[in-house]
Amino acid sequence: MTAYILRRLVQLPLTVFGVTILIFLMLQVLSPSERAALYIRDIPKNPAQIDRVIKRYGLDKPIHIQYINWLIGTVDQDTGDRVGGVLRADLGYSRTGREPVIDLLLRRLPATAELAIWSFIPILGIGIWLGIIAAINHNKLIDQIARVFSIVGYSFPTFVFGLLVLMLFYAKTGWFPPGRLSDWAVQVVSDPGFIQYTSLNSFDALLNGRIDVFLDALRHMFLPIITLSYLSWALLLRVTRSSMLETLGQDYIRTARSKGVAEKNVVNQHARPNALIPVATIGGLTVVGLLNGVVITETVFNYPGLGSAVAAAAVSLDVLTVLGFVLFNATLLILANLIVDVMYAFLDPRVRLG
Amino acid sequence: MTTTTTIAPTGRKRIKTDDGFFLPEPSRLEKAVGPESARVIRGLLTNPLSVTGLVVVIFFLVVAAAAPVLAPPFQATADPYQIPRDGFGPTPQEPGSIWKRDVPPVPFWYEAVTGKQEWVHLFGTTSGQFDIYYGIVWGTRTALLVGVLVVFSGLLIGLIIGSISGYYGGFTDDFLMRITEIFMAFPFLLAALTLSAILVPLFGRGIWPSVIALVSFGWMGYARVIRGDILATKERDYVLSARTIGAKDGKILLRHILPNAIFTTMVLASLDVGAIVLTFAALSFLGVGTDIGYADWGQVISFARAYILSLDTYWYIIVYPGAALILFGLGWNLIGDGLRDVLDPRMKK
Amino acid sequence: MTKNLRRSVLLAVLLILAMVLAACPAQPGQVVEVEVTRIVEGESQTVVVTATPEPVMPVSFNAPRTDTYTDISIGDIDTMDPNLAYDTASGGLIMNVMETLIWFDHTDATSFVPVLATEVPSVENGGISADGLTYTFNIREGVTFHNGNDLTPSDVAYSFQRGLLQSDPNGPQWLLLEPILGYTSGDVTEGIAEGEYAGDPEALKANATAEELVAVCEKVQAAVSADDDAGTVTFNLAVPWGPFLATLTQTWGAAMDEQWAVENGAWDGSCDTWSDYYAPGAENDELSGIINGTGPYMLESWTPGEGYVLVANPNYWRADDDPMWEGGPAGAPAIQRIVRRIVTEWGTRFAILQAGDAEWVNVPPANRPQVDEFVGETCDWRTNECTPTDNPDGPLRKWGDQPSTSRTDVFLNFNVSTDENGNNPYIGSGQLDGNGIPADFFSDIHARLAFNYCFDYDTYIADALNGDGVRNNGPIILDMLGYNPDGEMYMFDLDKCAEEMALAWDGAVAENGFRLQAAYNTGNDTRQTIGAILQANFRSIDPKYQIELVGLPWPTMLAAFRVGQLPVVASGWVEDIHDPHNWVQPFTVGTYAGRQNLPDDLKAQFQELVNAGVAASDPAEREAIYFELQKLHHESAIQITGAQATGVRYEQRWVQGYYYNPALFDNYFYSFGLAQ
C-alpha cells in the first residue's frame, strides 16, 4: 500500500508538468499582438503602444523561451540574480487579479474551501439518503419521483438555477444576499480583535464566539450551497441507488432476510455498508467536481472565491492565473483520487486482503 | 416509431443451429440489427421513461428539421443562424407584440392556425429586440449539432485511445493513460473555457471554438471506460480462441472485443448529449461562446441576466429558452437512463 | 437512521429560520424611537415620535448609515501609482487620496482653482512665460502627506520626473512627454537608437550606453525642476502647448512624497539608476499597491477584485474658511468612510440599490429604464434644481443629461492593408465584382459620403443609446472650445446615399454592388448596433450592397487594427484631458488617422491645423483654427461622426453635494455629504 501511494505521489509532478506544457501549447495558436490584448483594454490611444507592450512582456519571444522563463525564472542583468520561476514558488503576476498569482490563489482559497465544506454536508447527506430511499422502494412512486428529481437536476443549467433562486430568495425577499459577508461583518472580521484561526469566516466566527457573524456568513453561502447541492444530488442519487439495488439482490442479504432479520436491520446493518463502497469513490470525486461547479456558481452569486477569479482570468486569456489554478487543481485531484483509493481499501476487505 | 408492432416476441418458430442447439427464430428486428441490439431497442421502447425521452428528442429533431418553415429567416441571403431583430432598444417586448422592423416572411401555416395576418413575436423579444421564438427554433439545430457532434467526436477519440490502451497494455497503456490523466487534471468547464477563449481569436465567435474545446476535454471518460471494458472482455474465451487461431489484432479488436464493450459507453454518451449542451450554454453565459444574436439557447437565456429582478414582468425571456434547455437535457437523460436499465445485467430476464 | 435524519432535518430548518430572522431586522444600531423631520412653513423642526409611525407621513430621505458612503462599481483599479494609472477606476481612487497642483473649478472643466499651488499660473501673473514655454508654480506651504511628511517643491518635481522616466507603455505618460520633451512616440527613450528599445527594459539596459541613459534623465530633470528655497516648480516645455494646464490637472499630475517613495523601493532620483525602473508594468511597480497623498481621504484597505475602503483624513490641510471654490467644500471631509465594492453582475447591483444598501451603483445605459421606475426626483446638474417625478416618493434621485466625454464613431479605411497575394479577409474578392471591394474603396469621396448619408443617426440615439445622446458635427464634442454650433453635419437620407453610391467608382459600385465586412469587438453592443444600422439601410437601397457584420474577439480586433486591415470599424474615444486637441489629434492625424491610411496631402492639411491649434494660446484664435479644421473634416467625410453619449447618475436621495464636471474620472467625495 505504501509503495502504491509513493508511486502515485511520484507521478504527480509528471502529470502537472504535462498539464503546463499543454497550456503553453494551446497558447501557441495566438499571435503576439493577439496576446497583447490582455494588457490593452481598447483601441490604444498612442499607436506605438501595442508594439511597446509586445516588447515589454516578451510576447514575441519563442514559446519555449517563455515556458522556460515561466518554469525557472529569468536572470536579472544587473545583479545576476534569478528572479521568478514556478520552481522557485513564483507563479507570476495575475493580470486580471491585479496581484501575484500565488497571493490571489491563497487569498481566494478559504472562500471556496468554506463553500465546499458546507456544501458537502447536504450533498452527501441528502444525495445518499435519497439514493437509499429510492432503492429500498424500488420501482415504487417514491423511486420514480426521486429519479425524475435527479434527472431534472442533471438537466438544469447551473446559471439558470442560480439566477432563479437569486431572484426568489434575494431580490423578492432579501433573505439571502450575494457576496461573502455583509459590510458590518467585514468590519468585524477585519478587526484586530477578531482572530482569524482558519480564514474560513463561519468557523472563525464560532471560534470567536460571534454567532451574528456566523449566521451572516452562512446566510451569504446559503444560495450557492443550494445550487451546488441540487446539481450534485443527481449523480450521487444514481450511484447510491444502483449500488444499493445491486447489494440488496445479493445472496447474503437474501439469507439474512430468510433468517428473519427485520427489514430495517437488513438495510442498515447488512446492505448499506457494502453499498456505500462505490459511493465513497464518487463522494471523493465530488470534492473535485465542486471546484468545477464553483466557476459558474461563484460568478452568479458574486462570491469572491477561486472559481469566479479563474473564470474571469480564462475569458481574458490570463494564462498565468489559469496555470496557477490548474497546478493547484491537478494536485488536489490526484490527492483526492489517492485518498479515495485508500478509503476503498479500508472499506472493502477484499481489496485490503488482496 | 411505427415499427413497434412488428417486434412482438411471441409465438416464434425455433431453428436449429450448427452445433445442435435450438434457438428462437430471429425476428425482423433481430435479423436487421442483431439479437443484442434488438433486445436493447425493445427494452427502450417498452420503458415509459425512455419512451418519454425518445418522444422529446424526436420532437426536437422535427423542430430542427422544420426550422425554415416554423421560423422563416428574414432574407434568403442572410445567415439563418443570426436571430432577426426588431429594432435595437433594451426593453423586451412581450409575446404577441407586432413585428415592426425588418419583418421576416410570414410562414404559411400562421394564418391558418391563428387567423391573423401580421407576424408577431410569438415568444416576445429579448433585450436588444432579438426574437425569442426564432432563437429557440433555430437554436434547436445548434443544440442538436453541438450535442451530437461533440459527443460523437469525443466517443471516437475515446474509442481509439481506450481500445489501443486496453488491448495492447504494457507501456502503450501506461503512456496513453498518463496522457489521459493530464487532460483529466483540468476541471472540465475551466479547460473548455480556456481553450475556447484561445480559439475564439482563431475561428471567430461561433460554435466551433466551443465545440473543439468540448471535444478536446470530453473524451477521457470514454477512453477509460472502454479500456476497462476491453480489459475485462479480452480474457474471455472467445477472444482467446480467436487469438489462438491467429486472427489479426485489428480484426479481434473490431469483431470481437469492441461490440461487447461499447454498450456501457453508449449509456454515457446519451447522458452526455444533454450535459454538453448545458455546458455549451454555460460558455455563452460566461462570454466565450457564440456571439450576441446567434441562435443558441444559452445566448438567448443570457439576455435574461439583466432583467432577473423584473422577471414578473419579463418572465418570457427566461421561461421559453429555459424550458427548451431543460426539456432537451431531460430527453437525453431519460434515454440514457432507460438504456442503462436495459443494459444492466441484473435486469436481463 | 430515520431518527438521526429527522434530527438533522430539524436542525437544518432551524438554521435556515435563524438566518432568515437574522436577515429581517435592520442592521445594528436600530432605534425604537423614530426621528422625523417635519417642514412647517419653511421652518424645519425635529420631533421625536415614540409610537408607531403615523400611516400618512412625508417620506424622509435620511441616510441609514450616518458616516459611510457605499458605492458599487464594475471594475477594479489597476494600480495606485499615479504615474502609471490610466484607467478611470484607478483615477477615481487616486483623485480622492492624492492632489494635483491645480484642480477644476467646480463644474467648469476648463477653468481651475489652486490646490497644491498657491495660484493658477497665467501670462498675467507671470506664471506662464510670454512664449508659452515656461510654466512656474508656487507650491503651498504647510501641506502634509498622510504619513506626516511635509510637501516640498522637490516632491512635486520628483513626481513628474519619475513618471516621465517610467514611461510605461500602458501608462498615461505619453500625454506629458509630447509637450514637455516634444516626443510623439510616447516613450522617453525615443532619443536612443530611434526608439529601438522602447518598451523593452532589458534591451535598453543591455544596449544603451551609460552616457545615453544619463542624457535622457538630465533632459527630463532640466524640463521639470524644483527650487525649494523659492518654493517653486518650473516646467520648460519643448513646444508651446495650449492645453498644458488641463494636462497637469489629472491624476498623472498628482504629487507624491519622494522620501516615502524611495523608502518603499521606488526610483531614488539618481540619473544612474532610472533604467531599472523603466516601463515596469503594474506587477513590478513598487508603488502599485500602496498610496500616500495629501488629499482629503486616506486608503484604509484594498482587496483586489473586491474593492477598497477610504477613510477621512483627520489632518487635512484645507482650513474651514478656505473653500475650494466659492461655496465649495472646506475643512475636514464630511463623510467618514467611503466603501467601494465591485459587483460585476447587474442584477446583483440593482438588488443592492433597491435594498438601500448602497448610495450609488453603476447603471449600464441599457438598464436605465428599469431604474427610472424608482426615481423620485430628477435634477439638472447645470442649475442644481430638482423636480419631482410622477412617483415623488421614489427613493432615488436622477441627474440626467450629462454630456459625456466619449463618442463612438465609424472609421473608413482609405487603403486597407493586404497580404503579399493581395488578400484581406474583410474585403471579399478585393474587386468591384459584387463580391468584394478594392483595397482603396474608401479613397473615393462618394463612397464615404454614401456611408455618411446611410447612417440613421436618430435610430442610433433612440435605440442604441436609449435616447441619451447628442450628435456632434466633427471631432470636437459639444460645449467644448472649438465646437462649431453652426457646423454642418450629414443627415440620414437614403436618396442621397443612393445617389452618392451611384457616383462612386464611376458607377461600378451601383452596377455590381459591393460586399465588405464591418468589424466590431464582441461584447460591445453599441458598436454592433452601428453596424446593423448601416447593414439594414444599404440593404434597403439595393440588396447588392452587402455589409456583413463580423464580431471579432478583442485580441483579433486589436491585431487586425494594428495592421490596418479593417475597412469599416466602429470605435470609441474617451478623452484624456478636456481639451479639443485631445479630440482633433487622434481623429485627424494620430491614432485613428494613422490606421485609416489618409492620403498624405490630406493628412498634411490636417497636421498643419492641429499644430497651429495646440500652439495658439488665445482662445478666439484657437477657435477659428478648429472651426476651419472641422470644416475640412466635414468636407472630406473621413469618418461617420456618431453621437456623444449623455450620462445619467442615479443616487439615493439622502446623498448631498454631488456635482458634475465632465473632466472628472469619478466622484470627488470631498464635496459629498449624507442627509441625517
Side-chain angles (χ1 to χ4, degrees):
Chain A
M1 194 72 207
T2 324
Y4 172 72
I5 294 178
L6 277 178
R7 197 163 68 90
R8 294 284 293 266
L9 283 177
V10 170
Q11 278 171 6
L12 174 86
L14 278 178
T15 311
V16 169
F17 180 68
V19 166
T20 60
I21 287 188
L22 190 64
I23 296 193
F24 265 86
L25 281 180
M26 292 197 320
L27 195 66
Q28 199 157 28
V29 302
L30 293 187
S31 72
S33 51
E34 283 170 334
R35 268 179 276 146
L38 176 59
Y39 301 90
I40 300 173
R41 289 227 179 87
D42 207 339
I43 299 290
K45 300 209 160 177
N46 187 302
Q49 190 191 354
I50 307 179
D51 301 294
R52 289 169 62 207
V53 162
I54 290 174
K55 276 198 204 162
R56 173 66 195 86
Y57 294 98
L59 301 176
D60 50 353
K61 289 188 185 136
I63 198 86
H64 62 274
I65 305 251
Q66 292 188 43
Y67 181 71
I68 290 170
N69 285 349
W70 177 77
L71 204 62
I72 59 172
T74 50
V75 177
D76 189 287
Q77 279 168 346
D78 294 340
T79 57
D81 292 341
R82 191 162 275 282
V83 285
V86 174
L87 297 180
R88 301 159 50 86
D90 185 345
L91 297 181
Y93 185 80
S94 166
R95 189 70 199 164
T96 46
R98 293 162 176 93
E99 60 185 325
V101 172
I102 189 81
D103 294 356
L104 178 80
L105 294 182
L106 289 178
R107 200 169 49 73
R108 294 252 174 160
L109 178 62
T112 299
E114 191 175 18
L115 190 58
I117 290 170
W118 281 103
S119 304
F120 219 57
I121 298 167
I123 287 177
L124 285 185
I126 299 183
I128 293 175
W129 175 67
L130 280 177
I132 292 173
I133 295 281
I136 296 173
N137 301 291
H138 183 44
N139 277 344
K140 293 195 191 126
L141 183 67
I142 191 160
D143 181 30
Q144 304 293 1
I145 291 176
R147 291 180 70 188
V148 170
F149 173 79
S150 93
I151 292 174
V152 170
Y154 214 67
S155 323
F156 228 124
T158 320
F159 59 96
V160 175
F161 186 82
L163 287 175
L164 282 178
V165 294
L166 189 67
M167 176 189 76
L168 284 174
F169 297 105
Y170 177 56
K172 298 292 168 203
T173 57
W175 290 348
F176 302 108
R180 194 175 174 208
L181 279 181
S182 301
D183 274 340
W184 63 267
V186 172
Q187 286 184 45
V188 172
V189 171
S190 48
D191 189 87
F194 186 94
I195 304 161
Q196 305 229 357
Y197 300 96
T198 59
S199 296
L200 308 177
N201 290 333
S202 48
F203 296 99
D204 285 349
L206 285 180
L207 293 173
N208 282 277
R210 289 296 301 248
I211 295 296
D212 54 344
V213 175
F214 172 75
L215 287 178
D216 189 67
L218 228 49
R219 195 153 77 89
H220 283 84
M221 281 189 291
F222 186 74
L223 294 184
I225 290 175
I226 291 291
T227 309
L228 284 171
S229 310
Y230 184 56
L231 303 170
S232 313
W233 283 333
L235 184 64
L236 265 179
L237 184 148
R238 273 186 183 173
V239 174
T240 320
R241 175 180 173 272
S242 61
S243 168
M244 192 73 188
L245 275 179
E246 194 175 350
T247 320
L248 282 175
Q250 276 173 3
D251 293 344
Y252 72 95
I253 299 287
R254 277 194 226 129
T255 315
R257 277 203 187 116
S258 62
K259 280 198 306 190
V261 178
E263 183 64 23
K264 195 174 142 193
N265 289 343
V266 171
V267 172
N268 285 348
Q269 287 164 11
H270 295 263
R272 205 174 59 191
N274 284 316
L276 286 186
I277 293 171
V279 176
T281 320
I282 297 291
L285 293 177
T286 308
V287 188
V288 183
L290 278 180
L291 279 174
N292 241 324
V294 294
V295 171
I296 298 246
T297 314
E298 289 185 354
T299 306
V300 170
F301 294 105
N302 200 53
Y303 190 82
L306 284 174
S308 49
V310 173
V315 172
S316 320
L317 293 178
D318 183 354
V319 177
L320 294 184
T321 311
V322 175
L323 267 175
F325 180 76
V326 171
L327 281 181
F328 165 78
N329 191 76
T331 316
L332 195 74
L333 182 104
I334 292 163
L335 288 180
N337 273 330
L338 196 63
I339 293 170
V340 165
D341 284 353
V342 173
M343 254 168 63
Y344 206 92
F346 180 74
L347 284 174
D348 192 340
R350 278 167 300 180
V351 176
R352 207 171 2 173
L353 293 173
Chain B
M1 292 298 281
T2 49
T3 56
T4 32
T5 51
T6 64
I7 59 163
T10 49
R12 281 187 273 149
K13 282 188 261 170
R14 286 168 177 268
I15 50 165
K16 194 178 177 205
T17 57
D18 298 342
D19 40 6
F21 288 107
F22 284 96
L23 286 177
E25 187 191 22
S27 67
R28 268 153 66 190
L29 185 73
E30 279 172 345
K31 276 180 189 156
V33 296
E36 178 66 11
S37 308
R39 190 183 70 82
V40 171
I41 294 176
R42 209 177 295 130
L44 278 182
L45 292 178
T46 48
N47 180 337
L49 283 182
S50 58
V51 168
T52 317
L54 277 173
V55 169
V56 170
V57 169
I58 288 169
F59 168 75
F60 279 116
L61 280 170
V62 170
V63 170
V69 179
L70 289 172
F74 170 54
Q75 264 188 339
T77 53
D79 175 8
Y81 288 96
Q82 195 62 36
I83 307 174
R85 347 173 41 167
D86 183 8
F88 310 97
T91 313
Q93 292 182 48
E94 58 180 10
S97 320
I98 306 286
W99 201 306
K100 291 180 277 295
R101 238 184 105 103
D102 294 347
V103 190
V106 180
F108 68 89
W109 49 266
Y110 179 67
E111 202 182 331
V113 175
T114 62
K116 291 184 207 141
Q117 288 184 341
E118 261 176 325
W119 190 220
V120 296
H121 300 288
L122 286 176
F123 293 171
T125 65
T126 64
S127 172
Q129 308 310 322
F130 295 100
D131 186 57
I132 296 177
Y133 171 73
Y134 189 98
I136 290 176
V137 169
W138 286 84
T140 310
R141 285 190 170 194
T142 311
L144 282 168
L145 182 70
V146 167
V148 174
L149 196 66
V150 168
V151 169
F152 187 76
S153 317
L155 199 60
L156 207 63
I157 299 177
L159 210 62
I160 293 169
I161 294 197
S163 43
I164 293 178
S165 190
Y167 187 76
Y168 290 102
F171 173 76
T172 319
D173 182 29
D174 252 4
F175 177 75
L176 288 176
M177 282 303 110
R178 289 297 87 73
I179 300 266
T180 312
E181 245 169 44
I182 289 174
F183 275 85
M184 287 183 93
F186 287 86
F188 176 60
L189 184 65
L190 187 73
L193 193 66
T194 313
L195 187 56
S196 313
I198 288 175
L199 290 177
V200 158
L202 215 64
F203 293 89
R205 280 282 193 109
I207 63 170
W208 297 112
S210 310
V211 164
I212 295 174
L214 292 173
V215 172
S216 304
F217 291 96
W219 55 269
M220 296 87 74
Y222 304 122
R224 285 196 153 190
V225 169
I226 289 173
R227 172 179 170 271
D229 277 359
I230 285 177
L231 284 181
T233 322
K234 83 174 177 187
E235 300 305 324
R236 288 199 186 153
D237 295 344
Y238 58 89
V239 178
L240 291 175
S241 60
R243 197 172 286 170
T244 43
I245 59 167
K248 289 213 179 79
D249 287 352
K251 199 175 168 193
I252 295 176
L253 200 62
L254 283 177
R255 280 273 178 82
H256 301 284
I257 300 184
L258 276 183
N260 288 291
I262 199 128
F263 276 112
T264 337
T265 30
M266 298 231 330
V267 177
L268 270 183
S270 55
L271 290 173
D272 276 353
V273 174
I276 286 292
V277 170
L278 298 189
T279 312
F280 184 78
L283 291 179
S284 287
F285 177 82
L286 288 173
V288 294
T290 55
D291 194 12
I292 296 168
Y294 192 89
D296 156 39
W297 296 336
Q299 182 59 247
V300 176
I301 218 168
S302 49
F303 283 109
R305 267 174 114 165
Y307 287 86
I308 198 72
L309 298 190
S310 322
L311 278 189
D312 31 7
T313 320
Y314 304 114
W315 54 272
Y316 45 89
I317 60 179
I318 195 164
V319 166
Y320 292 121
L325 260 177
I326 293 170
L327 215 58
F328 189 85
L330 202 63
W332 286 100
N333 271 301
L334 288 173
I335 292 181
D337 253 22
L339 199 58
R340 200 199 13 226
D341 280 357
V342 174
L343 292 172
D344 196 325
R346 276 171 293 118
M347 312 275 276
K348 276 186 190 169
K349 300 268 156 56
Chain C
M1 162 80 194
T2 35
K3 206 185 271 174
N4 287 345
L5 184 90
R6 233 173 272 144
R7 215 177 292 149
S8 44
V9 167
L10 196 70
L11 203 74
V13 170
L14 279 177
L15 205 64
I16 293 170
L17 263 178
M19 283 188 279
V20 172
L21 288 178
C24 290
Q27 302 308 330
Q30 195 189 17
V31 284
V32 188
E33 296 171 339
V34 187
E35 247 186 15
V36 181
T37 309
R38 284 202 183 122
I39 314 280
V40 187
E41 290 182 334
E43 226 179 46
S44 75
Q45 87 188 73
T46 305
V47 285
V48 177
V49 187
T50 35
T52 43
E54 295 157 37
V56 188
M57 212 177 47
V59 186
S60 65
F61 296 99
N62 288 339
R65 297 160 298 273
T66 53
D67 61 348
T68 306
Y69 178 99
T70 308
D71 73 3
I72 314 283
S73 184
I74 48 173
D76 198 6
I77 61 168
D78 273 352
T79 170
M80 293 186 218
D81 183 346
N83 293 148
L84 187 57
Y86 192 31
D87 61 293
T88 50
S90 307
L93 167 69
I94 295 168
M95 67 185 254
N96 281 293
V97 175
M98 303 182 85
E99 288 178 308
T100 47
L101 294 168
I102 53 177
W103 195 241
F104 304 101
D105 184 359
H106 199 200
T107 57
D108 188 344
T110 50
S111 59
F112 306 97
V113 292
V115 180
L116 296 182
T118 52
E119 60 181 349
V120 179
S122 63
V123 179
E124 291 73 39
N125 67 18
I128 305 178
S129 65
D131 60 2
L133 285 174
T134 307
Y135 284 68
T136 308
F137 291 86
N138 292 303
I139 306 301
R140 191 180 294 275
E141 287 177 15
V143 175
T144 55
F145 287 98
H146 296 154
N147 64 353
N149 290 356
D150 285 327
L151 171 81
T152 63
S154 327
D155 286 326
V156 177
Y158 169 81
S159 309
F160 280 94
Q161 290 163 0
R162 177 176 178 272
L164 291 169
L165 290 171
Q166 188 185 64
S167 237
D168 192 86
N170 285 324
Q173 296 299 328
W174 67 281
L175 291 160
L176 290 166
L177 281 162
E178 196 176 358
I180 295 180
L181 297 182
Y183 289 168
T184 52
S185 74
D187 199 285
V188 77
T189 66
E190 185 177 314
I192 301 176
E194 293 173 334
E196 171 74 27
Y197 316 122
D200 192 344
E202 278 78 39
L204 182 74
K205 281 190 275 185
N207 297 313
T209 63
E211 293 74 38
E212 279 174 325
L213 292 176
V214 169
V216 168
C217 171
E218 282 173 350
K219 189 171 176 183
V220 167
Q221 288 182 338
V224 186
S225 57
D227 183 339
D228 281 346
D229 296 332
T232 59
V233 169
T234 306
F235 294 86
N236 296 304
L237 306 192
V239 282
W241 205 253
F244 189 63
L245 287 180
T247 312
L248 292 179
T249 314
Q250 282 300 4
T251 52
W252 42 86
M256 64 173 74
D257 179 2
E258 178 172 4
Q259 191 193 335
W260 166 85
V262 176
E263 279 167 10
N264 281 289
W267 177 54
D268 58 3
S270 153
C271 275
D272 298 328
T273 57
W274 73 269
S275 59
D276 292 339
Y277 303 89
Y278 167 70
E283 60 275 29
N284 299 320
D285 182 5
E286 299 78 13
L287 306 183
S288 235
I290 48 175
I291 188 165
N292 173 32
T294 57
Y297 284 95
M298 312 188 291
L299 180 75
E300 184 185 87
S301 64
W302 172 48
T303 317
E306 293 174 46
Y308 58 79
V309 179
L310 305 179
V311 291
N313 173 6
N315 304 316
Y316 187 52
W317 56 269
R318 191 178 287 280
D320 289 342
D321 57 356
D322 176 24
M324 204 160 179
W325 54 80
E326 211 180 307
I335 301 177
Q336 292 307 305
R337 275 172 82 81
I338 306 285
V339 177
R340 158 70 54 101
R341 280 167 57 201
I342 295 158
V343 177
T344 45
E345 186 70 39
W346 156 248
T348 312
R349 289 201 302 279
F350 190 28
I352 293 171
L353 182 72
Q354 283 185 45
D357 287 342
E359 271 63 34
W360 174 87
V361 308
N362 174 296
V363 181
N367 302 106
R368 285 175 192 162
Q370 288 176 272
V371 186
D372 279 335
E373 294 170 28
F374 298 89
V375 171
E377 62 177 1
T378 54
C379 302
D380 185 332
W381 66 275
R382 291 183 179 85
T383 59
N384 242 0
E385 277 168 11
C386 297
T387 45
T389 61
D390 300 340
N391 172 25
D393 292 345
L396 300 180
R397 181 186 296 130
K398 175 180 182 176
W399 299 84
D401 194 28
Q402 301 175 337
S404 73
T405 52
S406 66
R407 188 181 63 225
T408 301
D409 296 315
V410 181
F411 300 92
L412 310 171
N413 196 327
F414 282 57
N415 194 359
V416 294
S417 62
T418 53
D419 65 13
E420 57 271 24
N421 301 322
N423 292 328
N424 170 326
Y426 305 102
I427 59 170
S429 64
Q431 282 153 21
L432 273 180
D433 54 3
N435 200 26
I437 54 165
D440 57 350
F441 182 70
F442 286 110
S443 62
D444 188 319
I445 176 102
H446 298 295
R448 303 198 301 271
L449 284 172
F451 269 70
N452 269 286
Y453 284 122
C454 255
F455 188 66
D456 186 348
Y457 302 89
D458 293 338
T459 301
Y460 168 61
I461 293 176
D463 283 352
L465 301 181
N466 197 33
D468 297 318
V470 53
R471 278 197 69 185
N472 292 166
N473 57 22
I476 298 174
I477 54 175
L478 204 66
D479 291 340
M480 184 180 260
L481 170 85
Y483 184 83
N484 185 354
D486 303 322
E488 281 183 82
M489 52 178 135
Y490 296 103
M491 294 298 171
F492 172 52
D493 188 336
L494 286 178
D495 295 337
K496 277 193 171 161
C497 175
E499 264 172 47
E500 293 294 342
M501 244 343 167
L503 291 172
W505 291 87
D506 296 328
V509 181
E511 194 181 322
N512 299 325
F514 70 86
R515 184 169 77 93
L516 63 82
Q517 297 198 310
Y520 63 93
N521 52 316
T522 49
N524 191 316
D525 300 0
T526 307
R527 293 178 194 176
Q528 189 197 22
T529 304
I530 288 177
I533 290 174
L534 278 173
Q535 181 188 44
N537 290 336
F538 274 109
R539 192 169 51 197
S540 73
I541 292 178
D542 188 336
K544 291 201 302 279
Y545 295 166
Q546 302 165 54
I547 295 181
E548 285 167 13
L549 289 183
V550 281
L552 298 180
W554 172 235
T556 318
M557 178 96 167
L558 188 70
F561 175 80
R562 177 165 171 253
V563 292
Q565 275 188 329
L566 307 170
V568 176
V569 58
S571 178
W573 182 262
V574 184
E575 69 175 23
D576 305 292
I577 54 171
H578 196 68
D579 188 273
H581 179 72
N582 196 252
W583 287 93
V584 296
Q585 197 273 346
F587 279 75
T588 60
V589 295
T591 302
Y592 289 128
R595 301 299 178 198
Q596 272 181 277
N597 289 314
L598 294 195
D600 291 341
D601 55 332
L602 186 58
K603 206 170 168 182
Q605 281 177 282
F606 278 124
Q607 186 74 60
E608 194 181 322
L609 290 165
V610 169
N611 289 351
V614 73
S617 51
D618 177 29
E621 189 191 341
R622 281 189 90 188
E623 188 173 69
I625 296 168
Y626 288 135
F627 277 15
E628 197 184 330
L629 184 143
Q630 289 184 95
K631 190 157 171 279
L632 179 64
H633 181 270
H634 176 80
E635 283 164 0
S636 52
I638 57 175
Q639 288 139 7
I640 303 178
T641 305
Q644 185 184 350
T646 45
V648 171
R649 173 188 162 90
Y650 297 93
E651 64 183 11
Q652 301 286 356
R653 286 173 75 177
W654 58 74
V655 175
Q656 300 168 332
Y658 166 75
Y659 70 92
Y660 177 69
N661 183 318
L664 291 187
F665 284 146
D666 208 328
N667 296 321
Y668 190 55
F669 293 116
Y670 185 40
S671 73
F672 278 41
L674 297 170
Q676 306 292 336

